[in-house]
Amino acid sequence: MKNSMLKEAESKMEKSVEKIVEEFSHMRTGRPSPSLLEEIKVDYYGVPTPVNQLATINVSEDRSLVIKPWEKNLLSVIEKAILASNLGLTPLNDGNVIRLNFPVPTTEQREKWVKMAKEIAEKGKIAIRNIRRDFIKEAKELQKEGEITEDDLKRFEEDIQKLTNKYVEEMDHQFEKKKKEIMEF
């Protein structure tokens, strides 16, 4: 029983880290990345559809993303969706493709992005600590009901604290990785 609770807690903590890593992948870092467009949806025959399902997206050597829709009539729709997004980029439509140029970010912009990444990582750490709290509460209930001993509870609390430390450390590692990516130029 104790092991199944630990496994479930670990699974939830792992998912928290994965969610934060996913959020990091959608953050702008000054370098072009097709994943930035994953959240942008356009109206495709009445269905909100992600841009990456309607076009090929490539990173060019001149620090830009090149978006080539499979249907030319989608150029203006994709352009409007990018303008309406909070990316802060101006699409250049040449009639065949859309280019998104990524200027070299200022130090101030990079510091702002690092601060945003830190806030995201903190959210993740809070989620992990909440998972620990909920499972300890559940274990205390089981101990009150006589299903586990006080020693089992103590061991469980120690084990779940080790798990919490491991995943909080992983969250810090992911933040440092993102920070390095943002700051390098």
Side-chain angles (χ1 to χ4, degrees):
M1 194 282 314
K2 184 183 91 159
N3 283 340
S4 67
M5 283 177 67
L6 279 175
K7 278 187 173 62
E8 187 182 344
E10 183 167 25
S11 171
K12 287 183 176 193
M13 289 178 184
E14 224 169 81
K15 284 183 179 117
S16 292
V17 172
E18 288 168 8
K19 175 88 174 102
I20 296 307
V21 169
E22 183 185 327
E23 277 190 55
F24 282 162
S25 76
H26 298 298
M27 275 186 70
R28 210 172 135 192
T29 60
R31 100 170 25 136
S33 169
S35 66
L36 288 172
L37 302 177
E38 286 176 3
E39 299 296 307
I40 297 176
K41 293 185 177 22
V42 295
D43 184 16
Y44 184 65
Y45 298 107
V47 178
T49 309
V51 172
N52 61 357
Q53 292 180 13
L54 301 172
T56 53
I57 304 169
N58 294 307
V59 179
S60 69
E61 291 178 20
D62 65 345
R63 296 184 47 78
S64 64
L65 284 179
V66 179
I67 305 160
K68 185 172 173 78
W70 296 317
E71 297 175 26
K72 279 206 180 201
N73 63 330
L74 291 172
L75 277 167
S76 62
V77 180
I78 292 172
E79 182 180 14
K80 285 178 188 156
I82 292 169
L83 282 168
S85 75
N86 63 354
L87 283 179
L89 296 170
T90 306
L92 304 171
N93 182 345
D94 70 4
N96 291 316
V97 297
I98 296 172
R99 285 189 181 281
L100 290 177
N101 293 320
F102 284 72
V104 176
T106 64
T107 304
E108 187 179 295
Q109 284 174 311
R110 283 187 252 154
E111 287 170 353
K112 186 174 102 182
W113 294 335
V114 167
K115 187 177 176 191
M116 285 170 51
K118 186 152 187 70
E119 288 170 9
I120 290 169
E122 279 305 314
K123 267 191 345 193
K125 287 183 192 179
I126 289 168
I128 287 169
R129 290 183 190 119
N130 287 343
I131 292 166
R132 175 194 60 196
R133 182 200 62 215
D134 294 345
F135 276 90
I136 287 176
K137 183 178 173 187
E138 189 179 328
K140 284 181 178 177
E141 289 296 318
L142 291 173
Q143 196 261 327
K144 276 184 193 169
E145 293 167 7
E147 290 188 38
I148 62 172
T149 66
E150 204 169 308
D151 288 345
D152 286 340
L153 175 64
K154 191 87 175 136
R155 267 192 300 281
F156 177 78
E157 286 176 338
E158 289 168 3
D159 291 344
I160 201 159
Q161 184 59 50
K162 286 176 190 169
L163 266 183
T164 303
N165 294 345
K166 173 185 168 186
Y167 284 98
V168 164
E169 212 173 279
E170 177 61 22
M171 203 65 78
D172 286 336
H173 170 72
Q174 293 298 332
F175 165 70
E176 288 302 323
K177 207 164 101 177
K178 189 65 177 180
K179 179 180 173 183
K180 184 178 180 218
E181 182 185 329
I182 291 170
M183 295 308 282
E184 72 184 20
F185 272 100

